[in-house]
Amino acid sequence: MIYALVLIVGFAAGTVSGIVGTGATIILLPILVLAFGPREAVPIMAVVALMSNFAKITSWWREIDWRACAAYALGGIPAAALGARTLLVLPEKIVDVALGLFFLAMIPARRWLAARNFKFGFWHLAIAGAVIGFLTGIVVSTGPLSVPAFAAYGLVKGAFIATEAAGSLALYISKAVIFREFGALPVDIVLKGLISGSSVMAGTYTARLIVDRLSVTTFQRLLDVVMALSGLALLWAAIR
């Protein structure tokens, strides 16, 4: 029964992520935390994130900005590894609280960045990759932060979705290597990740059919709702 719920939510999460460029891990993470606990949910989500980003890359392959991807990965890969190693020594309750507070904080942070209309160059994106990479290692998903970073670089629609996914994929591979190195990705965790990720990939491929039908304003409002609900759900999990 729990796997049926994970698959249903995973498909919805993949669809949302395929439309707005982020959100799959934010939507699915609370379900995984409730089902398996935060210590297992984080490495499971790392596997799911790899699959989700792969689906977005293959959906929009021709539109990837490889220069932007390289800049983001340059700072993000080592930082994600450091963040993942930091995560593995934190108590579970702290992980839950950090996840919840981080998602809630990203709502005003994203709006603040968007309101100032920042324009990023190569090195700005590299620095953003380092900061976001470290946070990704700790809190599982920082998609809502990478959204304004890649948007500030000037990417939109398919180019934004695919390039952000390619950059994030590099970070998640780095994170997964650290998890595997320290025994946090045993076979059962990988299998749970593959099962969960399959539904996310299906939703991501479906999203391409509707990605051009929603306005940018609708994207942003949907993103805020997703972050708020997920943040509150994780805080509830920490105190229950």
CSV table of all heavy atoms in Angstrom, one decimal, residues 107-152:
chain,number,residue,atom,x,y,z
A,107,ILE,N,10.8,30.4,0.1
A,107,ILE,CA,9.7,31.1,-0.5
A,107,ILE,C,10.0,32.6,-0.6
A,107,ILE,O,10.0,33.2,-1.7
A,107,ILE,CB,8.3,30.9,0.2
A,107,ILE,CG1,8.0,29.4,0.2
A,107,ILE,CG2,7.2,31.7,-0.4
A,107,ILE,CD1,6.8,29.0,1.0
A,108,PRO,N,10.3,33.3,0.5
A,108,PRO,CA,10.7,34.7,0.4
A,108,PRO,C,12.0,34.9,-0.3
A,108,PRO,O,12.2,35.9,-1.0
A,108,PRO,CB,10.7,35.2,1.9
A,108,PRO,CG,10.9,34.0,2.7
A,108,PRO,CD,10.2,32.9,1.9
A,109,ALA,N,12.9,34.0,-0.1
A,109,ALA,CA,14.3,34.1,-0.8
A,109,ALA,C,14.1,34.1,-2.3
A,109,ALA,O,14.8,35.0,-3.0
A,109,ALA,CB,15.2,33.0,-0.3
A,110,ARG,N,13.3,33.3,-2.8
A,110,ARG,CA,13.2,33.2,-4.3
A,110,ARG,C,12.5,34.5,-4.8
A,110,ARG,O,12.9,35.1,-5.8
A,110,ARG,CB,12.3,32.0,-4.7
A,110,ARG,CG,12.1,31.9,-6.2
A,110,ARG,CD,11.1,30.8,-6.5
A,110,ARG,NE,9.8,31.0,-5.9
A,110,ARG,CZ,8.9,31.9,-6.4
A,110,ARG,NH1,9.3,32.6,-7.5
A,110,ARG,NH2,7.8,32.1,-5.9
A,111,ARG,N,11.5,35.0,-4.1
A,111,ARG,CA,10.9,36.2,-4.5
A,111,ARG,C,11.8,37.4,-4.4
A,111,ARG,O,11.8,38.3,-5.2
A,111,ARG,CB,9.6,36.5,-3.6
A,111,ARG,CG,8.5,35.5,-3.9
A,111,ARG,CD,7.3,35.7,-2.9
A,111,ARG,NE,6.2,34.9,-3.2
A,111,ARG,CZ,5.2,35.2,-4.1
A,111,ARG,NH1,5.3,36.4,-4.7
A,111,ARG,NH2,4.3,34.3,-4.3
A,112,TRP,N,12.7,37.4,-3.4
A,112,TRP,CA,13.6,38.5,-3.2
A,112,TRP,C,14.6,38.6,-4.4
A,112,TRP,O,14.9,39.7,-4.9
A,112,TRP,CB,14.4,38.3,-1.9
A,112,TRP,CG,15.3,39.4,-1.5
A,112,TRP,CD1,15.0,40.6,-0.9
A,112,TRP,CD2,16.7,39.5,-1.8
A,112,TRP,NE1,16.2,41.4,-0.8
A,112,TRP,CE2,17.2,40.7,-1.3
A,112,TRP,CE3,17.6,38.6,-2.4
A,112,TRP,CZ2,18.6,41.1,-1.4
A,112,TRP,CZ3,19.0,39.0,-2.5
A,112,TRP,CH2,19.4,40.2,-2.0
A,113,LEU,N,15.1,37.4,-4.8
A,113,LEU,CA,16.0,37.4,-5.9
A,113,LEU,C,15.3,37.8,-7.2
A,113,LEU,O,15.9,38.5,-8.0
A,113,LEU,CB,16.6,36.0,-6.0
A,113,LEU,CG,17.6,35.5,-5.0
A,113,LEU,CD1,17.9,34.0,-5.1
A,113,LEU,CD2,18.9,36.4,-5.0
A,114,ALA,N,14.1,37.3,-7.4
A,114,ALA,CA,13.4,37.6,-8.6
A,114,ALA,C,13.1,39.1,-8.7
A,114,ALA,O,13.1,39.7,-9.8
A,114,ALA,CB,12.1,36.8,-8.7
A,115,ALA,N,12.7,39.7,-7.6
A,115,ALA,CA,12.3,41.1,-7.6
A,115,ALA,C,13.5,42.1,-8.0
A,115,ALA,O,13.3,43.1,-8.5
A,115,ALA,CB,11.8,41.5,-6.2
A,116,ARG,N,14.7,41.6,-7.7
A,116,ARG,CA,15.9,42.4,-8.0
A,116,ARG,C,16.5,42.2,-9.3
A,116,ARG,O,17.4,42.8,-9.7
A,116,ARG,CB,16.9,42.2,-6.9
A,116,ARG,CG,16.6,43.1,-5.6
A,116,ARG,CD,17.1,42.5,-4.4
A,116,ARG,NE,16.7,43.3,-3.2
A,116,ARG,CZ,15.4,43.2,-2.7
A,116,ARG,NH1,14.5,42.4,-3.2
A,116,ARG,NH2,15.1,44.0,-1.7
A,117,ASN,N,15.9,41.2,-10.1
A,117,ASN,CA,16.2,41.0,-11.5
A,117,ASN,C,17.8,40.8,-11.7
A,117,ASN,O,18.3,41.4,-12.5
A,117,ASN,CB,15.7,42.1,-12.4
A,117,ASN,CG,15.7,41.7,-13.8
A,117,ASN,OD1,15.6,40.5,-14.2
A,117,ASN,ND2,15.9,42.7,-14.7
A,118,PHE,N,18.4,40.0,-10.8
A,118,PHE,CA,19.8,39.7,-10.9
A,118,PHE,C,20.2,39.1,-12.3
A,118,PHE,O,19.5,38.2,-12.8
A,118,PHE,CB,20.3,38.8,-9.8
A,118,PHE,CG,20.4,39.5,-8.5
A,118,PHE,CD1,19.8,38.9,-7.4
A,118,PHE,CD2,21.2,40.6,-8.4
A,118,PHE,CE1,20.0,39.6,-6.1
A,118,PHE,CE2,21.3,41.3,-7.1
A,118,PHE,CZ,20.7,40.7,-6.0
A,119,LYS,N,21.3,39.5,-12.9
A,119,LYS,CA,21.8,38.9,-14.1
A,119,LYS,C,23.1,38.2,-13.8
A,119,LYS,O,24.1,38.8,-13.3
A,119,LYS,CB,22.1,40.0,-15.2
A,119,LYS,CG,20.8,40.7,-15.6
A,119,LYS,CD,19.8,39.8,-16.3
A,119,LYS,CE,18.6,40.5,-16.7
A,119,LYS,NZ,17.6,39.6,-17.3
A,120,PHE,N,23.2,36.9,-14.0
A,120,PHE,CA,24.3,36.1,-13.7
A,120,PHE,C,25.2,35.9,-14.9
A,120,PHE,O,24.7,35.7,-16.0
A,120,PHE,CB,23.9,34.7,-13.1
A,120,PHE,CG,23.5,34.7,-11.7
A,120,PHE,CD1,23.3,35.9,-11.0
A,120,PHE,CD2,23.4,33.5,-11.0
A,120,PHE,CE1,22.9,35.9,-9.6
A,120,PHE,CE2,23.0,33.5,-9.7
A,120,PHE,CZ,22.8,34.7,-9.0
A,121,GLY,N,26.6,35.9,-14.6
A,121,GLY,CA,27.5,35.4,-15.6
A,121,GLY,C,28.1,34.1,-15.3
A,121,GLY,O,27.6,33.4,-14.3
A,122,PHE,N,29.1,33.6,-16.0
A,122,PHE,CA,29.7,32.3,-15.7
A,122,PHE,C,30.1,32.1,-14.3
A,122,PHE,O,29.7,31.1,-13.7
A,122,PHE,CB,30.9,32.1,-16.7
A,122,PHE,CG,31.6,30.8,-16.6
A,122,PHE,CD1,31.2,29.7,-17.4
A,122,PHE,CD2,32.6,30.5,-15.6
A,122,PHE,CE1,31.8,28.5,-17.3
A,122,PHE,CE2,33.2,29.3,-15.5
A,122,PHE,CZ,32.8,28.3,-16.4
A,123,TRP,N,30.9,33.1,-13.7
A,123,TRP,CA,31.4,32.9,-12.4
A,123,TRP,C,30.3,33.1,-11.3
A,123,TRP,O,30.4,32.5,-10.2
A,123,TRP,CB,32.6,33.8,-12.1
A,123,TRP,CG,33.8,33.4,-13.0
A,123,TRP,CD1,34.3,34.0,-14.0
A,123,TRP,CD2,34.6,32.2,-12.8
A,123,TRP,NE1,35.4,33.3,-14.6
A,123,TRP,CE2,35.5,32.2,-13.8
A,123,TRP,CE3,34.5,31.1,-11.9
A,123,TRP,CZ2,36.5,31.2,-13.9
A,123,TRP,CZ3,35.4,30.1,-12.0
A,123,TRP,CH2,36.4,30.1,-13.0
A,124,HIS,N,29.4,33.9,-11.6
A,124,HIS,CA,28.2,34.0,-10.7
A,124,HIS,C,27.5,32.6,-10.5
A,124,HIS,O,27.2,32.2,-9.4
A,124,HIS,CB,27.2,35.0,-11.2
A,124,HIS,CG,27.7,36.4,-11.1
A,124,HIS,ND1,28.0,37.1,-12.3
A,124,HIS,CD2,27.9,37.3,-10.1
A,124,HIS,CE1,28.4,38.4,-11.9
A,124,HIS,NE2,28.4,38.5,-10.6
A,125,LEU,N,27.4,32.0,-11.7
A,125,LEU,CA,26.7,30.7,-11.7
A,125,LEU,C,27.6,29.6,-11.0
A,125,LEU,O,27.0,28.7,-10.3
A,125,LEU,CB,26.4,30.3,-13.1
A,125,LEU,CG,25.2,29.2,-13.3
A,125,LEU,CD1,23.9,29.8,-12.6
A,125,LEU,CD2,25.0,29.0,-14.8
A,126,ALA,N,28.9,29.7,-11.1
A,126,ALA,CA,29.8,28.8,-10.4
A,126,ALA,C,29.7,29.0,-8.9
A,126,ALA,O,29.7,28.0,-8.2
A,126,ALA,CB,31.2,29.0,-10.9
A,127,ILE,N,29.7,30.2,-8.5
A,127,ILE,CA,29.5,30.5,-7.0
A,127,ILE,C,28.2,30.0,-6.5
A,127,ILE,O,28.1,29.4,-5.4
A,127,ILE,CB,29.7,32.0,-6.7
A,127,ILE,CG1,31.1,32.4,-7.1
A,127,ILE,CG2,29.4,32.3,-5.3
A,127,ILE,CD1,31.4,33.9,-7.0
A,128,ALA,N,27.1,30.3,-7.3
A,128,ALA,CA,25.8,29.8,-6.9
A,128,ALA,C,25.8,28.3,-6.8
A,128,ALA,O,25.2,27.7,-5.9
A,128,ALA,CB,24.8,30.3,-7.9
A,129,GLY,N,26.5,27.6,-7.8
A,129,GLY,CA,26.6,26.1,-7.7
A,129,GLY,C,27.2,25.6,-6.5
A,129,GLY,O,26.8,24.6,-5.9
A,130,ALA,N,28.3,26.3,-6.0
A,130,ALA,CA,29.0,25.9,-4.8
A,130,ALA,C,28.1,26.0,-3.6
A,130,ALA,O,28.0,25.1,-2.8
A,130,ALA,CB,30.2,26.7,-4.6
A,131,VAL,N,27.4,27.1,-3.4
A,131,VAL,CA,26.5,27.3,-2.3
A,131,VAL,C,25.3,26.4,-2.3
A,131,VAL,O,25.0,25.7,-1.4
A,131,VAL,CB,26.0,28.8,-2.3
A,131,VAL,CG1,24.9,29.0,-1.2
A,131,VAL,CG2,27.1,29.8,-2.1
A,132,ILE,N,24.7,26.3,-3.5
A,132,ILE,CA,23.5,25.4,-3.6
A,132,ILE,C,23.9,23.9,-3.5
A,132,ILE,O,23.2,23.1,-3.0
A,132,ILE,CB,22.8,25.7,-5.0
A,132,ILE,CG1,22.2,27.1,-5.0
A,132,ILE,CG2,21.7,24.7,-5.2
A,132,ILE,CD1,21.7,27.6,-6.3
A,133,GLY,N,25.1,23.6,-4.1
A,133,GLY,CA,25.6,22.3,-4.0
A,133,GLY,C,25.8,21.8,-2.6
A,133,GLY,O,25.4,20.7,-2.2
A,134,PHE,N,26.4,22.6,-1.7
A,134,PHE,CA,26.6,22.3,-0.3
A,134,PHE,C,25.2,22.1,0.4
A,134,PHE,O,25.0,21.1,1.1
A,134,PHE,CB,27.4,23.3,0.4
A,134,PHE,CG,27.6,23.0,1.9
A,134,PHE,CD1,28.5,22.0,2.3
A,134,PHE,CD2,26.8,23.6,2.9
A,134,PHE,CE1,28.7,21.7,3.6
A,134,PHE,CE2,27.0,23.3,4.2
A,134,PHE,CZ,27.9,22.4,4.6
A,135,LEU,N,24.3,23.0,0.1
A,135,LEU,CA,22.9,22.8,0.7
A,135,LEU,C,22.2,21.6,0.2
A,135,LEU,O,21.5,20.9,0.9
A,135,LEU,CB,22.1,24.1,0.4
A,135,LEU,CG,22.6,25.4,1.1
A,135,LEU,CD1,21.8,26.6,0.6
A,135,LEU,CD2,22.5,25.2,2.6
A,136,THR,N,22.4,21.3,-1.1
A,136,THR,CA,21.8,20.1,-1.7
A,136,THR,C,22.4,18.8,-1.0
A,136,THR,O,21.6,17.9,-0.8
A,136,THR,CB,22.2,20.0,-3.2
A,136,THR,OG1,21.6,21.1,-3.9
A,136,THR,CG2,21.6,18.7,-3.8
A,137,GLY,N,23.6,18.8,-0.7
A,137,GLY,CA,24.2,17.7,0.1
A,137,GLY,C,23.5,17.5,1.4
A,137,GLY,O,23.4,16.3,1.9
A,138,ILE,N,23.1,18.6,2.0
A,138,ILE,CA,22.5,18.5,3.3
A,138,ILE,C,21.0,18.3,3.3
A,138,ILE,O,20.4,17.4,4.0
A,138,ILE,CB,22.8,19.7,4.2
A,138,ILE,CG1,24.3,19.8,4.4
A,138,ILE,CG2,22.1,19.7,5.5
A,138,ILE,CD1,24.8,21.1,5.2
A,139,VAL,N,20.3,19.1,2.5
A,139,VAL,CA,18.8,19.1,2.6
A,139,VAL,C,18.1,18.5,1.4
A,139,VAL,O,16.9,18.7,1.2
A,139,VAL,CB,18.3,20.6,2.7
A,139,VAL,CG1,18.9,21.2,4.0
A,139,VAL,CG2,18.7,21.4,1.5
A,140,VAL,N,18.8,17.6,0.6
A,140,VAL,CA,18.2,16.8,-0.4
A,140,VAL,C,17.9,17.6,-1.7
A,140,VAL,O,18.3,17.3,-2.8
A,140,VAL,CB,16.9,16.1,0.0
A,140,VAL,CG1,16.3,15.3,-1.1
A,140,VAL,CG2,17.1,15.3,1.2
A,141,SER,N,17.1,18.7,-1.6
A,141,SER,CA,16.7,19.4,-2.9
A,141,SER,C,16.8,20.9,-2.7
A,141,SER,O,16.3,21.4,-1.7
A,141,SER,CB,15.3,19.0,-3.3
A,141,SER,OG,14.9,19.8,-4.4
A,142,THR,N,17.5,21.6,-3.6
A,142,THR,CA,17.5,23.0,-3.6
A,142,THR,C,17.0,23.5,-4.9
A,142,THR,O,17.4,24.6,-5.3
A,142,THR,CB,18.9,23.5,-3.3
A,142,THR,OG1,19.8,22.8,-4.2
A,142,THR,CG2,19.3,23.3,-1.9
A,143,GLY,N,16.2,22.8,-5.6
A,143,GLY,CA,15.7,23.2,-6.9
A,143,GLY,C,15.1,24.6,-6.9
A,143,GLY,O,15.4,25.4,-7.8
A,144,PRO,N,14.3,25.0,-5.9
A,144,PRO,CA,13.7,26.3,-5.9
A,144,PRO,C,14.8,27.4,-5.8
A,144,PRO,O,14.6,28.5,-6.2
A,144,PRO,CB,12.9,26.3,-4.6
A,144,PRO,CG,12.5,24.9,-4.4
A,144,PRO,CD,13.7,24.1,-4.9
A,145,LEU,N,16.0,27.1,-5.3
A,145,LEU,CA,17.1,28.1,-5.3
A,145,LEU,C,17.8,28.1,-6.7
A,145,LEU,O,18.2,29.2,-7.2
A,145,LEU,CB,18.1,27.8,-4.2
A,145,LEU,CG,17.9,28.4,-2.9
A,145,LEU,CD1,19.1,28.2,-2.0
A,145,LEU,CD2,17.6,29.9,-3.0
A,146,SER,N,17.9,27.0,-7.3
A,146,SER,CA,18.6,26.9,-8.6
A,146,SER,C,17.7,27.6,-9.7
A,146,SER,O,18.2,28.0,-10.7
A,146,SER,CB,18.9,25.5,-9.0
A,146,SER,OG,17.8,24.7,-9.1
A,147,VAL,N,16.4,27.6,-9.5
A,147,VAL,CA,15.5,28.2,-10.4
A,147,VAL,C,15.8,29.7,-10.7
A,147,VAL,O,16.1,30.1,-11.8
A,147,VAL,CB,14.0,28.1,-9.9
A,147,VAL,CG1,13.1,29.1,-10.7
A,147,VAL,CG2,13.5,26.7,-10.1
A,148,PRO,N,15.9,30.6,-9.6
A,148,PRO,CA,16.3,31.9,-9.9
A,148,PRO,C,17.8,32.1,-10.4
A,148,PRO,O,18.1,33.0,-11.2
A,148,PRO,CB,16.1,32.7,-8.6
A,148,PRO,CG,16.1,31.6,-7.6
A,148,PRO,CD,15.6,30.4,-8.2
A,149,ALA,N,18.6,31.1,-10.0
A,149,ALA,CA,20.0,31.2,-10.4
A,149,ALA,C,20.1,31.0,-12.0
A,149,ALA,O,20.8,31.8,-12.7
A,149,ALA,CB,20.9,30.1,-9.7
A,150,PHE,N,19.5,30.0,-12.5
A,150,PHE,CA,19.5,29.7,-13.9
A,150,PHE,C,18.7,30.8,-14.7
A,150,PHE,O,19.0,31.1,-15.8
A,150,PHE,CB,19.1,28.3,-14.2
A,150,PHE,CG,20.2,27.3,-14.0
A,150,PHE,CD1,20.2,26.6,-12.8
A,150,PHE,CD2,21.1,27.1,-15.0
A,150,PHE,CE1,21.2,25.7,-12.6
A,150,PHE,CE2,22.1,26.1,-14.8
A,150,PHE,CZ,22.2,25.4,-13.6
A,151,ALA,N,17.6,31.2,-14.1
A,151,ALA,CA,16.8,32.3,-14.7
A,151,ALA,C,17.6,33.5,-14.8
A,151,ALA,O,17.5,34.2,-15.9
A,151,ALA,CB,15.5,32.5,-13.9
A,152,ALA,N,18.4,33.9,-13.8
A,152,ALA,CA,19.2,35.1,-13.8
A,152,ALA,C,20.3,35.0,-14.9
A,152,ALA,O,20.8,36.0,-15.4
A,152,ALA,CB,19.8,35.3,-12.5
